[in-house]
Amino acid sequence: MATKQTEPVTVISLRKLSLGTPEPQQKEPKTFTVEEAVETIGFGRFHIALFLIMGSTGMVFFGYMVFSIVFGLLADRYGRWKILLISFLWGAYFSLLTSFSPSYIWFVFLRTMVGCGVSGHAQGLIIKTEFLPTKYRGYMLPLSQVFWLAGSLLIIGLASVVIPTIGWRWLIRIASIPGIILIMAFKFIPESARFNVSTGNTQAAMTTLESIAKMNRSAMPEGKLAEPILEKRGRFADLLDAKYLRTTLQIWVIWLGISFAYYGVILASAELLERDLVCGSQSELESEVVVTLGDTEGSQSPCHCHMFAPSDYRTMIISTIGEIALNPLNILGINFLGRRLSLSITMGCTALFFLLLNICTSSAGLVGFLFMLRALVAANFNTIYIYTAEVYPTTMRALGMGTSGSLCRIGAMVAPFISQVLMSASILGALCLFSSVCVVCAISAFTLPIETKGRALQQIK
């Protein structure tokens, strides 16, 4: 019988593979940035304490203009906290010395030195900006205006009581006390975490963020803080780099114009009150008052003006309160319309109210116009402060604010010549000039190339 040839069967043998425990793949450690930490920690008691301390600073002129740039440059290179402390010590020391001025020349010199110190106070706003979560900046930063208002009302109230009784020297001494007391609060203010990581001091930044998280009863992001070290900080060339050139130039125009309008309103209101000017007519009653600055005969200077009466101080208080009147609307505009459009609208309204100031009206009407002007110019300052702090990266944020502050002082120094010299010759001419500057600023604000609403702070350019 023929044997049947069987087809070869292919046997598939399954070999037992040695499947040892696979080597665990190394997971990349989680990292986070200061921006993410700030957003995760959120808003809390730390920010409230920071605002209470930083909101108690003020401003003066020429020294401010010169040292604003210097302090801004140094703050970007060596830290915000150090410059802020130096500026507080400097300002408080020379402010107190001013009260002992033996002559007018000494008075001017010492007030200039005060201005040098006060120029560094802008670093307080930088610190607040760099610690605030994005969604809170548009709400909390405008509220700093409350502290400015409180200081303005306090000094007006003190002046009305102290100057007629014990003199201007004691007014300066009393006004210096809050600044001296605030120096003791500096141990509660940390260095900016964004600045620390930019210099490679990551541990200090981490310690600060953990402290804030603990104070706010919040949590830190998971992982390790990791951001690049930025060697090139605080350089003028960066402000004029192609990416920021247009923004910088337009910001400078706006700062100069806003300051010009702000101090123009303040000085024009004082001029109107001193000259008893209503409906463009000057009171025929003028009395010669000898104003003495020092204690020697050589320091006496005749001045043809009226001393402020109690009613004038009340008028100044009412108009000053105007600086907070539009704050709620300003906050809504900043957060819903954006920084650029909001600033453009308030600058346009400022231009309109400068012209309305020329309308023949009663004293109450004049006070009403001044009230609205103070409200509008304060809103302008609120918005441009926020925008300037937000638009620049950490490497040049303080310098950007410093150069803007310097331009701001130029506007402040020009304002008296218009408010008190040109206004004496032509009320309408002076008001038209103020209005025209505000229109230019409104256009510049509307055409700014970068909108910072809802935008995270940039670490590098």
Side-chain angles (χ1 to χ4, degrees), residues 51 75 225 382:
F51 269 70
L225 179 60
N382 272 343

Side-chain angles (χ1 to χ4, degrees), residues 224-250:
K224 180 182 178 182
L225 179 60
E227 289 199 27
I229 299 174
L230 309 174
E231 297 291 345
K232 298 177 180 179
R233 304 185 307 276
R235 301 189 308 170
F236 286 100
D238 291 339
L239 287 176
L240 302 177
D241 182 80
K243 183 177 179 180
Y244 287 101
L245 176 60
R246 179 180 160 190
T247 300
T248 296
L249 294 178
Q250 288 185 231

Side-chain angles (χ1 to χ4, degrees), residues 445-461:
F446 187 75
T447 57
L448 280 167
I450 302 172
E451 173 57 69
T452 61
K453 173 192 167 188
R455 178 177 181 255
L457 294 182
Q458 308 297 298
Q459 188 72 358
I460 57 176
K461 70 183 184 75

Side-chain angles (χ1 to χ4, degrees), residues 231-428:
E231 297 291 345
K232 298 177 180 179
R233 304 185 307 276
R235 301 189 308 170
F236 286 100
D238 291 339
L239 287 176
L240 302 177
D241 182 80
K243 183 177 179 180
Y244 287 101
L245 176 60
R246 179 180 160 190
T247 300
T248 296
L249 294 178
Q250 288 185 231
I251 284 177
W252 285 352
V253 169
I254 295 169
W255 271 94
L256 193 153
I258 288 178
S259 178
F260 178 66
Y262 180 83
Y263 290 101
V265 172
I266 294 174
L267 295 171
S269 61
E271 183 73 7
L272 293 173
L273 291 170
E274 284 181 355
R275 293 174 179 273
D276 193 24
L277 189 62
V278 180
C279 290
S281 63
Q282 185 173 340
S283 172
E284 296 178 0
L285 178 62
E286 277 194 345
S287 58
E288 181 174 311
V289 180
V290 177
V291 178
T292 59
L293 177 63
D295 301 322
T296 61
E297 294 182 4
S299 61
Q300 294 181 347
S301 172
C303 171
H304 294 271
C305 60
H306 292 292
M307 292 293 288
F308 266 27
S311 60
D312 294 325
Y313 282 111
R314 284 195 297 270
T315 301
M316 292 298 290
I317 289 173
I318 292 171
S319 63
T320 301
I321 292 174
E323 294 200 12
I324 203 69
L326 291 184
N327 223 15
L329 288 177
N330 187 214
I331 291 173
L332 289 175
I334 286 171
N335 287 283
F336 293 99
L337 299 178
R339 280 55 161 160
R340 294 180 300 183
L341 182 56
S342 177
L343 180 57
S344 180
I345 291 172
T346 54
M347 286 301 307
C349 291
T350 305
L352 174 62
F353 271 88
F354 264 117
L355 295 179
L356 291 176
L357 200 60
N358 190 56
I359 294 177
C360 181
T361 183
S362 63
S363 295
L366 176 64
V367 172
F369 287 141
L370 291 174
F371 182 92
M372 283 304 300
L373 269 173
R374 291 290 287 268
L376 287 166
V377 293
N380 296 335
F381 256 131
N382 272 343
T383 311
I384 194 60
Y385 260 115
I386 295 169
Y387 183 85
T388 306
E390 290 178 333
V391 75
Y392 291 116
T394 301
T395 53
M396 56 179 179
R397 186 169 295 123
L399 182 58
M401 185 67 78
T403 53
S404 299
S406 183
L407 269 293
C408 176
R409 294 313 107 186
I410 293 176
M413 287 188 290
V414 173
F417 293 97
I418 308 302
S419 295
Q420 298 179 330
V421 178
L422 179 57
M423 187 166 282
S424 299
S426 172
I427 296 289
L428 182 59

Side-chain angles (χ1 to χ4, degrees), residues 31-38 209 221 224-227:
T31 62
F32 61 89
T33 64
V34 174
E35 176 71 23
E36 292 168 340
V38 168
L209 293 170
K224 180 182 178 182
L225 179 60
E227 289 199 27

